[in-house]
Amino acid sequence: MEIEHVTFYAGPNRHTLRSAVEAVVRLGDYGREPSSAHVDFAPRLFAALPGLGEHVCSEGHRGGFEERMQEGTYLGHVAEHVTLEILFQSGERGHYGKTREIAGTDSVRVIFESDTENGGRQALEEALRLVGGLWDGAADDDACAARLSAVEDSIRAQHLGPSTQAIIDAARARDIPVRRLDEGSLVRLGIGAAQRRVMAAVTDRTAVIGAELCQDKALTKTLLERQGIPVPPGSSVRCWEEALQAARKLGFPVAVKPQSGQQGRGVSTQVASAQELRRAFAWAQQQGETVLIEEQVDGPAYRVLVVQGQVVAASLRNPPGVEGDGIRSIHELVAQANADPRRCPGHQGPLSLIPEDEGLETALAHQGLSLQTVPGLGKKVLLRDTANLSSGGEAEDVTDSLGPDFIEDMVRAQRAVGLDIAGIDVITPDLGRSLEEAGGRVIEVNASPGLRMHLYPSAGRPRAVGEAIVESLFGQGTGRIPVCAVTGTNGKTTVTRMLAHMWRQTGKVVGMTTTDGIVIGQRRIQQGDLTGPWSAEVVLGDPTAEVAVLETARGGMARHGLGFGDCDVAVVTNIGPDHLGQDGISTLDDLTHLKALVVDVVRPGGAAVLNADDPRVAAMAARAAGRIVWFSVRDDNPLVVDHLASGGEAVVLSRGYMVHRQGTVSRRLIGSRALPAGWRGRAGFNVQNAMAAAAAALAMGLDAPFVGRSLASFHVDEDSQNPGRLEMVKGEAVDLLLDYAHNQPALAALGELIRTLGYRRVTTVLGLPGDRRNQELALAVREARHFSDTLVIREDEDLRGREPGEMARLCVDTLLEDGAEPGSWTVTLSESEAVGRAVASAPEGSLVVVLFEHYETARRAGLTAMALRGPGAQKSWA
């Protein structure tokens, strides 16, 4: 079995609303027999992964997968369940999976939820290896167990650490959007102008100077001392002779530490002689040339977490230790301690592994012990002189023991260094008194304090430190900006532009994605057909964007999922036969299911704006978690009438006016003839687009009179706010109409409009996208012929898998099949040349319709040709 292709969906997708992996797996001979064909296969598999017995599978109850195995299911399906179980054992909580055969091949498509792309792929690879090995009878049980454990550790290492996860959990509990920005711990909380960023317990408010100061322990002590905060005396040294001199001046025992170290690496305490000092100094210098020799401060060691001037948690830190049994060596006892499931590599779990390093050997030497020593029954052995959790230490919560003067000392220490979040290491005999009164000392200040000790104390209660950090970042804020997603077959770009225009009138910075590119504020920052998840993420990640209006097209959703986890408003304009046969979307039902994804992710309290005149769109109402706002060109639409009767909301066309209705209350928005984009009511599809945009704007909180005024200022003449959509250029000889219609429904609507304009002759420059099915393309050609006297057939520059000339031949074949008169079409493959020829050859007083691929290219060619025929081409509207 081998993986042929992997797609990772980082967000909601057509399979599940969680991140997921979709893989094509070639089974080969492993797909020929069901699981029941090998009687020992299932028992060995369940012995390797007992958790599989909990899987419900399609049976819908615990043990359902085991029943399927006994009845006989295929190995692709088995691999799916094994993958999910490996991910579960690695700390993930995905449960959705699906496996489907790919017709005509020996491959299957496997889909399963996974937090990360690499982790999902690793789990699937190990699942295939395990299933194949057990099926062949070649796998060794012990080797399988070891490999599974290694893979699970590797996947676990790709997850966020406890500190970052605690902040994320607190944010999600407040419904603040979360986005991981790298494979480390950089995370965006919130979106747009409301966003903040964290990296573990470092935030975008953490002062660079403060963080740099904390890297220099000597300088930190100097600043604290200047503020009257007690610190241990000491000296910075760079050579052994200086170290010995400093230690003798202070008097043994001393503490030795790297001046810029972290996590307890290279730190030695209770250094009582020159011999021990030499060893401690050499170990400290492994972390950096400069070493700090300090007075030894005895007493309990505490970590105090201060967030924006508030002490939110304090822990007593205890060094790791073991208790002898009179049988095993200290080395064996450490191995037993590290087998505790709470102990994980690095910072992945509540506790860290206890390393057998120089720090451990030094601590044992201070007790006259070694790793080979067998301590007596009940004898307690300390494994570290220091109490860092990263070295295997444990913590006990003491937050409730802090006195007011001690708390004030901690806040002053935070402010002295200039941090928003600080972990302050303190040694003091009495937490109830000030440091000065109790004789305590601040040992150091940490700019990126670990939160594990406060989340998973060995004694005492956990503290809500993640919540405190989120509160410091957001206060009462939500971390959100208004977000609207617009999808459908036709009209998406126009609706998106209309809605963005309305929001710009409020003075907000609007981020917008369309087939024309990405716009932030007044500037297009990227050009192209950018309606997928990447472009959505660009807008949502921009710290200036105050509103997001996202055209969300089929291709991006099908291939990559959504670029956002939820939205406030989703608009679905219509569903028609376009793009069928691509990306596994074969039928209108498939397309409807995919487009409804934006409705699935509407937040509770949000709104789905749906076309009540389109049955497929109307059916999406059943999937909406928020409220429904209908739009309809019929004020007697039964769906709308019933909805209003129950207090619902709709925008309808009534007696020539767009009207907002809610229950029994009606408010006029704008007359259809006063709507510039509606061409004085003749462009019915643009009136409908305006209704969709108005409904979305109202659902997002804009008021009705403002919506009407804004739509009245959405111009399609000079300085068009909808370029390339029904854009008319008037000329002395001929007029030019630029539009992006490229499928049969759009061309039918365009034809209805053109027939109302009264031109004697219409010449159309026709080019169609090559990734559509031939039958849909033929329908589009026939629709264009219905409103055209002459066709100039061109080809797109992007052939989308077609051969050069193939699309032109398909158009010509369709015309011949329909009996079109010879001379009613010509073929000019280049877009600019086709437009030039159409304008040059069109009779005076006629209309040239350009259905473009590249707007700028087509428009430039058209204006150039018009100028050659007569002066003064001027953009206008009919």
Side-chain angles (χ1 to χ4, degrees):
M1 290 181 281
E2 64 177 353
I3 300 171
E4 297 181 316
H5 178 74
V6 170
T7 298
F8 180 66
Y9 301 101
N13 54 82
R14 57 175 155 177
H15 305 296
T16 171
L17 298 183
R18 296 185 72 248
S19 56
V21 168
E22 177 180 330
V24 176
V25 177
R26 190 174 66 82
L27 298 179
D29 291 341
Y30 291 99
R32 298 183 186 279
E33 295 180 295
S35 57
S36 55
H38 291 195
V39 293
D40 63 339
F41 174 65
R44 291 189 67 193
L45 181 63
F46 280 84
L49 287 169
L52 290 170
E54 302 292 322
H55 290 211
V56 300
C57 199
S58 57
E59 303 302 306
H61 58 81
R62 178 183 172 188
F65 175 61
E66 191 169 5
E67 293 174 10
R68 292 289 307 278
M69 288 281 287
Q70 292 169 354
E71 295 166 358
T73 188
Y74 285 87
L75 296 197
H77 179 220
V78 175
E80 168 212 319
H81 278 269
V82 172
T83 301
L84 283 169
E85 182 61 22
I86 291 172
L87 290 170
F88 183 85
Q89 295 301 325
S90 304
E92 300 191 10
R93 292 298 175 261
H95 65 273
Y96 175 84
K98 179 171 67 175
T99 301
R100 293 291 182 267
E101 295 180 353
I102 299 176
T105 73
D106 60 355
S107 297
V108 292
R109 193 179 309 277
V110 183
I111 299 104
F112 55 90
E113 292 177 339
S114 176
D115 290 352
T116 67
E117 179 175 5
N118 290 338
R121 182 166 193 138
Q122 279 184 273
L124 178 58
E125 288 171 346
E126 181 56 30
L128 296 175
R129 186 183 297 114
L130 177 63
V131 170
L134 293 177
W135 185 258
D136 293 337
D140 175 81
D141 291 345
D142 292 338
C144 286
R147 194 162 51 240
L148 278 170
S149 178
V151 169
E152 289 165 7
D153 284 345
S154 177
I155 295 171
R156 205 174 287 119
Q158 298 172 49
H159 296 161
L160 292 166
S163 296
T164 309
Q165 192 62 52
I167 298 170
I168 285 176
D169 291 343
R172 285 178 172 153
R174 290 180 49 167
D175 198 28
I176 294 171
V178 173
R179 180 82 171 191
R180 189 174 181 177
L181 299 179
D182 69 353
E183 294 183 358
S185 56
L186 180 62
V187 175
R188 187 185 73 220
L189 307 178
I191 53 177
Q195 69 179 283
R196 308 309 304 262
R197 293 184 181 184
V198 299
M199 184 182 288
V202 175
T203 79
D204 53 13
R205 284 181 175 168
T206 301
V208 174
I209 292 177
E212 285 293 319
L213 287 175
C214 289
Q215 296 301 310
D216 188 330
K217 293 181 173 61
L219 182 54
T220 301
K221 285 172 53 180
T222 298
L223 291 175
L224 293 172
E225 194 170 25
R226 286 176 181 171
Q227 294 298 311
I229 297 168
V231 296
S235 302
S236 297
V237 300
R238 294 194 172 195
C239 65
W240 156 247
E241 290 77 16
E242 290 178 353
L244 183 59
Q245 183 181 358
R248 285 174 174 169
K249 181 178 178 180
L250 291 168
F252 288 105
V254 294
V256 180
K257 62 181 72 172
Q259 183 160 307
S260 59
Q262 58 183 344
Q263 297 180 352
R265 289 191 289 265
V267 176
S268 301
T269 61
Q270 301 295 343
V271 177
S273 66
Q275 181 181 357
E276 290 184 7
L277 178 65
R278 185 180 290 276
R279 181 177 179 178
F281 178 76
W283 190 37
Q285 276 205 320
Q286 293 177 15
Q287 305 298 317
E289 182 181 3
T290 305
V291 174
L292 198 56
I293 310 296
E294 288 184 344
E295 176 185 86
Q296 176 67 45
V297 181
D298 293 321
Y302 300 96
R303 165 64 63 83
V304 181
L305 182 67
V306 186
V307 178
Q308 290 283 35
Q310 300 291 320
V311 173
V312 298
S315 295
L316 169 64
R317 301 191 296 172
N318 298 312
V322 293
E323 184 174 316
D325 59 5
I327 300 172
R328 288 174 290 182
S329 68
I330 293 175
H331 170 73
E332 292 171 315
L333 293 170
V334 170
Q336 180 190 32
N338 281 335
D340 183 337
R342 295 176 301 165
R343 293 194 181 275
C344 298
H347 293 236
Q348 296 172 22
L351 297 174
S352 292
L353 296 173
I354 303 168
E356 291 189 0
D357 59 7
E358 192 161 353
L360 184 146
E361 292 175 359
T362 300
L364 293 179
H366 286 157
Q367 301 164 80
L369 306 171
S370 73
L371 281 167
Q372 286 69 46
T373 301
V374 178
L377 180 65
K379 179 177 176 56
K380 297 187 184 301
V381 178
L382 289 179
L383 302 175
R384 215 77 180 182
D385 289 331
T386 57
N388 291 82
L389 260 70
S390 55
S391 301
E394 299 186 16
E396 173 184 343
D397 180 72
V398 294
T399 308
D400 294 335
S401 301
L402 308 184
D405 291 338
F406 179 84
I407 289 174
E408 179 61 25
D409 284 341
M410 297 300 97
V411 173
R412 293 188 68 248
Q414 178 207 26
R415 290 172 177 162
V417 179
L419 292 172
D420 60 331
I421 301 172
I424 304 173
D425 293 338
V426 182
I427 294 178
T428 182
D430 188 350
L431 293 171
R433 296 186 292 167
S434 70
L435 290 176
E436 182 182 18
E437 185 180 356
R441 299 285 188 272
V442 171
I443 305 303
E444 63 181 69
V445 179
N446 299 274
S448 180
L451 306 181
R452 287 187 301 162
M453 67 186 75
H454 310 302
L455 299 166
Y456 308 108
S458 301
R461 67 186 181 93
R463 297 291 169 169
V465 290
E467 288 81 348
I469 291 172
V470 171
E471 174 69 21
S472 76
L473 293 172
F474 291 96
Q476 299 304 307
T478 64
R480 291 183 175 274
I481 62 173
V483 177
C484 178
V486 182
T487 195
T489 298
N490 293 310
K492 300 184 295 296
T493 299
T494 297
V495 172
T496 300
R497 288 170 172 171
M498 285 178 169
L499 182 57
H501 169 74
M502 286 186 265
W503 272 107
R504 286 194 199 99
Q505 305 312 296
T506 69
K508 298 284 189 184
V509 176
V510 180
M512 176 180 73
T513 65
T514 69
T515 52
D516 192 41
I518 304 171
V519 176
I520 305 291
Q522 300 297 326
R523 179 169 173 259
R524 185 171 64 185
I525 63 167
Q526 289 280 334
Q527 185 173 358
D529 188 348
L530 297 172
T531 54
W534 177 81
S535 53
E537 173 58 19
V538 170
V539 169
L540 298 178
D542 190 290
T544 67
E546 297 174 291
V547 180
V549 186
L550 309 172
E551 182 178 347
T552 308
R554 174 213 60 86
M557 283 193 282
R559 291 189 287 270
H560 307 291
L562 294 179
F564 46 91
D566 57 29
C567 59
D568 300 289
V569 173
V571 179
V572 186
T573 58
N574 45 64
I575 298 293
D578 196 15
H579 293 284
L580 299 180
Q582 300 175 44
D583 303 309
I585 307 300
S586 301
T587 67
L588 280 176
D589 286 343
D590 294 338
L591 186 61
T592 302
H593 173 75
L594 179 66
K595 297 279 189 179
L597 182 57
V598 298
V599 176
D600 293 339
V601 300
V602 171
R603 300 173 61 210
V609 175
L610 303 178
N611 185 349
D613 301 329
D614 187 315
R616 292 185 178 278
V617 176
M620 296 180 189
R623 296 172 63 162
R627 71 187 193 278
I628 303 298
V629 181
W630 296 114
F631 65 95
S632 173
V633 296
R634 295 173 45 210
D635 62 357
D636 62 346
N637 183 300
L639 281 175
V640 174
V641 171
D642 292 345
H643 190 57
L644 294 175
S646 60
E649 189 177 359
V651 172
V652 298
L653 190 64
S654 178
R655 299 181 180 180
Y657 284 90
M658 284 171 46
V659 179
H660 174 228
R661 289 182 175 161
Q662 189 162 15
T664 58
V665 178
S666 294
R667 293 176 292 183
R668 283 184 176 179
L669 300 175
I670 188 173
S672 60
R673 292 179 61 82
L675 185 70
W679 284 38
R680 296 198 175 100
R682 284 179 290 186
F685 54 90
N686 257 2
V687 173
Q688 194 172 43
N689 289 335
M691 294 168 66
L698 293 164
M700 295 173 81
L702 298 182
D703 63 50
F706 179 83
V707 168
R709 291 195 301 273
S710 297
L711 286 173
S713 66
F714 185 78
H715 299 296
V716 295
D717 50 1
E718 295 181 13
D719 300 320
S720 172
Q721 281 132 349
N722 200 24
R725 302 301 188 273
L726 282 190
E727 182 180 341
M728 178 72 85
V729 181
K730 291 285 191 178
E732 289 192 358
V734 296
D735 295 340
L736 185 73
L737 179 64
L738 294 147
D739 198 74
Y740 192 58
H742 56 271
N743 55 50
Q744 184 271 329
L747 288 165
L750 180 63
E752 286 183 19
L753 170 65
I754 289 172
R755 282 187 281 270
T756 70
L757 301 182
Y759 286 95
R760 295 194 303 275
R761 300 280 298 180
V762 175
T763 300
T764 298
V765 179
L766 175 66
L768 297 171
D771 56 357
R772 272 57 165 183
R773 297 188 302 191
N774 287 356
Q775 56 264 46
E776 274 88 33
L777 292 169
L779 290 174
V781 173
R782 293 183 177 111
E783 203 65 64
R785 182 186 169 220
H786 288 163
F787 63 78
S788 306
D789 299 290
T790 304
L791 289 173
V792 178
I793 296 168
R794 63 165 186 83
E795 279 195 338
D796 282 358
E797 182 180 23
D798 181 359
L799 296 174
R800 305 193 189 195
R802 301 277 183 167
E803 294 296 322
E806 181 182 351
M807 287 298 298
R809 285 195 299 274
L810 186 148
C811 293
V812 170
D813 289 347
T814 301
L815 294 171
L816 291 172
E817 182 181 328
D818 289 357
E821 295 180 9
S824 64
W825 76 85
T826 60
V827 176
T828 303
L829 298 183
S830 162
E831 181 168 49
S832 59
E833 292 178 12
V835 174
R837 170 175 288 188
V839 173
S841 61
E844 286 209 12
S846 67
L847 176 67
V848 176
V849 179
V850 176
L851 306 174
F852 59 84
E853 178 190 19
H854 299 299
Y855 167 70
E856 297 287 352
T857 299
R859 188 173 188 277
R860 190 182 308 113
L863 293 179
T864 300
M866 291 174 74
L868 292 174
R869 289 196 58 161
Q874 179 182 356
K875 195 186 312 187
S876 182
W877 54 286

